[in-house]
Amino acid sequence: MGSSPSSAETWHGTTILTVRKGGKVVIAGDGQVTLGQTIIKGTARKVRRVGTGKVIAGFAGSTADAFTLFERLETKLERFPDQLKRACVELAKDWRTDRYLRRLEAMMIVADADESLVLTGTGDVLEPDDAVMGIGSGGVYALAAARALLDGPLDAEAIARKAMSIAAKICVYTNDEVVVETLDAR
């Protein structure tokens, strides 16, 4: 007897990681999307450039909600060009106070040449103490691996790829179909 997805099952399956090292900033994301115990897709693209291409972003959570947030972030970046933090704070304000946006279930990591930030639906705009951040179901595993690799000889992209590989071996909601976006950092 087969089972069908119940309303209690939710979409899972994201690891997003950012690493800043050696004049580069990288955001990497895996491609797995699951519903309950079933892998629905293995090659989802959860990392992309936004705005004029000077900002990269990755999302964890509901896909439709994340696309809504990408669109809202692009609008804020148009209003506040070259002011990532300000655009993110304005988005976080809307996310927290707007009745429709409040229901969105997603988190984002965004980065430009100067800063990396995590945005949450509770109104948080967080900056890391160090050069790495991770979100999503495998985010803590990727974050721990990246921190361990940060002082070694690997560059930002190699650290992100290695850390994502480690997370994929630990988290059942993370796979090794990794998409990486890179920017020059200051």
Side-chain angles (χ1 to χ4, degrees):
M1 181 153 131
S3 64
S4 63
S6 71
S7 60
E9 291 180 308
T10 57
W11 293 91
H12 293 284
T14 300
T15 299
I16 303 294
L17 177 71
T18 185
V19 177
R20 190 175 286 271
K21 181 180 179 185
K24 299 284 183 190
V25 61
V26 172
I27 295 182
D30 81 305
Q32 185 165 302
V33 178
T34 61
L35 177 60
Q37 298 175 352
T38 304
I39 297 171
I40 301 298
K41 183 172 181 159
T43 58
R45 185 173 176 89
K46 303 169 193 172
V47 176
R48 65 181 48 202
R49 290 179 182 273
V50 293
T52 60
K54 295 179 182 178
V55 174
I56 50 179
F59 72 88
S62 167
T63 304
D65 293 353
F67 282 120
T68 299
L69 292 171
F70 278 142
E71 290 172 5
R72 295 289 180 121
L73 178 59
E74 286 181 332
T75 300
K76 297 299 182 185
L77 288 168
E78 287 172 8
R79 186 168 173 210
F80 305 105
D82 299 322
Q83 298 178 62
L84 179 62
K85 191 179 289 183
R86 173 105 189 258
C88 289
V89 167
E90 293 298 321
L91 174 60
K93 284 182 195 175
D94 290 351
W95 195 353
R96 185 168 169 82
T97 59
D98 183 277
R99 177 172 277 163
Y100 168 73
L101 291 178
R102 252 192 324 233
R103 291 182 173 79
L104 299 183
E105 295 181 13
M107 290 179 75
M108 295 177 74
I109 289 181
V110 298
D112 66 6
D114 298 312
E115 53 200 348
S116 300
L117 305 166
V118 172
L119 286 77
T120 73
T122 58
D124 294 318
V125 178
L126 306 168
E127 226 172 336
D129 285 335
D130 55 14
V132 295
M133 289 187 297
I135 60 172
S137 57
V140 294
Y141 308 117
L143 175 63
R147 282 187 177 158
L149 296 166
L150 200 57
D151 291 332
L154 299 177
D155 65 12
E157 183 172 341
I159 290 170
R161 287 187 182 280
K162 180 71 174 168
M164 293 294 290
S165 175
I166 291 167
K169 288 180 173 100
I170 299 170
C171 177
V172 297
Y173 297 114
T174 302
N175 71 9
D176 58 5
E177 294 290 327
V178 175
V179 172
V180 176
E181 288 286 344
T182 304
L183 290 173
D184 289 333
R186 292 181 211 157

